[in-house]
Amino acid sequence: MNRWATFAGAMALCAVCSPAFAAVNIFACLPEWAALATELGGDKVSVYQASNALQDPHRIEARPSLVARMRSADLAICTGAELEIGWLPVLLQTAGNQKVQPGQPGFIAAAEFVDRLEVPTRLDRAEGDIHPAGNPHVQLDPHNIAKVGLVLTQRLEQIDAGNAAYYESRSKDFQGRWGQAISRWEKDAAPLKGLRIVPYHKDSVYLIKWLGLVEVMNIEPKPGIPPSAGHLSELVGRLKGGAADVVARSAYQDPKAATSLAEKTNIPVVELPYTVGGTPGAKDLFGLFDDSISRLKAVKR
């Protein structure tokens, strides 16, 4: 385990730390939702982060410690759209906590409250790991973070009515700072429009759409299917001659395929944080977008 992996793990453990008299126990499936809950809940919430940025969000082990945390939660916030289909249903069922079951005020599936991209018109397993409700990696458009933040605030006010004014105040402050940051990011990233990018997996489509990038192809032949040597050779042939500007991978993905492709095509490769904690610069939600844009600009030719 390298030094950054150790640091990222420590960040996840830190998220487990809680105020002494928190009113609401929150179970956050992924780092971005833990960060948002901390921003909005302040010292009135105790946030448990179930995974870290260097773990594949599709494949988290539903271990007993997570069940115990889910059992004591007042609110659970996850992505939904079947991103956590391999582990979240097991946690919910085993924990048996009625407060956080789907349909209850204590359960938020963030993807339900944003406009989802790539909703398939037909389902065919031969096409890879396709999500019936659309692409679930919604956190990489900051406008989606704002929308989910409003929902989370409303649920906190409902669950902990005595502190409703506190949550409303923190929400207004966050939304104000977030709106200013979005304006700054969009101005700063304007030179990136049209950048031709080859991501490893289809986990950057919201970032690509928001910034006006062009997804040329993916390193995976189909979503969730690792590239074979033959597929990589085919990609090298298709990308030679300047068909793309940058190869990208998320922090949780194995770097070998992206690095090999970049070396054989002379196209620069960039590691993107994907979520809070994915890179040293992505220390919080603001850092996630600051660092993503900075890294893309650094490799733009």
Side-chain angles (χ1 to χ4, degrees):
M1 181 179 289
N2 61 36
R3 294 177 61 188
W4 173 238
T6 302
F7 175 71
M11 288 183 71
L13 290 175
C14 185
V16 178
C17 300
S18 59
F21 302 104
V24 181
N25 289 320
I26 297 178
F27 182 103
C29 286
L30 302 171
E32 60 268 26
W33 308 130
L36 183 61
T38 301
E39 284 275 1
L40 298 174
D43 63 5
K44 305 302 182 188
V45 302
S46 171
V47 181
Y48 179 75
Q49 180 180 307
S51 60
N52 68 57
L54 303 185
Q55 293 178 286
D56 185 337
H58 305 83
R59 299 178 177 84
I60 305 298
E61 181 184 357
R63 56 188 188 275
S65 61
L66 296 187
V67 173
R69 290 288 182 169
M70 186 67 86
R71 187 172 291 134
S72 62
D74 300 300
L75 186 152
I77 179 168
C78 302
T79 294
E82 296 195 355
L83 177 62
E84 303 101 341
I85 189 68
W87 53 286
L88 181 58
V90 175
L91 291 183
L92 291 170
Q93 181 177 8
T94 308
N97 180 353
Q98 293 305 308
K99 291 187 293 185
V100 296
Q101 296 300 314
Q104 297 300 313
F107 181 80
I108 297 175
E112 292 181 1
F113 302 97
V114 304
D115 294 327
R116 293 185 297 278
L117 303 176
E118 299 183 336
V119 178
T121 56
R122 68 183 183 90
L123 295 176
D124 185 347
R125 276 300 175 190
E127 296 303 315
D129 187 13
I130 300 295
H131 297 274
N135 191 302
H137 305 283
V138 301
Q139 84 281 0
L140 287 177
D141 181 338
H143 296 281
N144 289 344
I145 295 289
K147 293 176 182 176
V148 177
L150 293 175
V151 175
L152 178 54
T153 298
Q154 185 270 330
R155 298 294 179 87
L156 287 172
E157 292 174 356
Q158 185 176 357
I159 292 170
D160 182 22
N163 287 312
Y166 174 86
Y167 298 126
E168 187 63 23
S169 176
R170 289 191 69 91
S171 177
K172 287 181 178 178
D173 175 70
F174 173 74
Q175 294 287 350
R177 290 185 289 119
W178 196 248
Q180 292 174 3
I182 289 176
S183 297
R184 173 171 56 81
W185 290 325
E186 292 179 345
K187 182 179 180 181
D188 188 38
L192 293 174
K193 285 188 177 179
L195 185 76
R196 300 167 300 171
I197 186 170
V198 182
Y200 182 91
H201 178 65
K202 294 191 74 65
D203 57 1
S204 303
V205 296
Y206 291 88
L207 182 72
I208 289 169
K209 182 176 185 294
W210 173 53
L211 295 180
L213 313 184
V214 177
E215 185 181 80
V216 177
M217 61 186 74
N218 296 109
I219 296 177
E220 289 180 334
K222 294 178 180 178
I225 298 177
S228 65
H231 179 71
L232 285 175
S233 295
E234 180 184 338
L235 289 185
V236 170
R238 293 170 63 185
L239 289 174
K240 279 187 174 178
D245 300 306
V246 61
V247 173
R249 71 170 182 88
S250 296
Y252 69 88
Q253 292 158 348
D254 190 318
K256 293 179 182 177
T259 301
S260 173
L261 185 61
E263 290 175 348
K264 293 176 180 176
T265 58
N266 198 31
I267 296 173
V269 62
V270 62
E271 177 188 5
L272 297 174
Y274 176 74
T275 186
V276 174
T279 57
K283 295 179 180 177
D284 56 20
L285 286 169
F286 292 88
L288 169 61
F289 292 98
D290 280 334
D291 200 47
S292 296
I293 291 170
S294 175
R295 285 169 177 262
L296 285 168
K297 291 180 71 175
V299 296
K300 183 177 183 296
R301 291 173 170 171

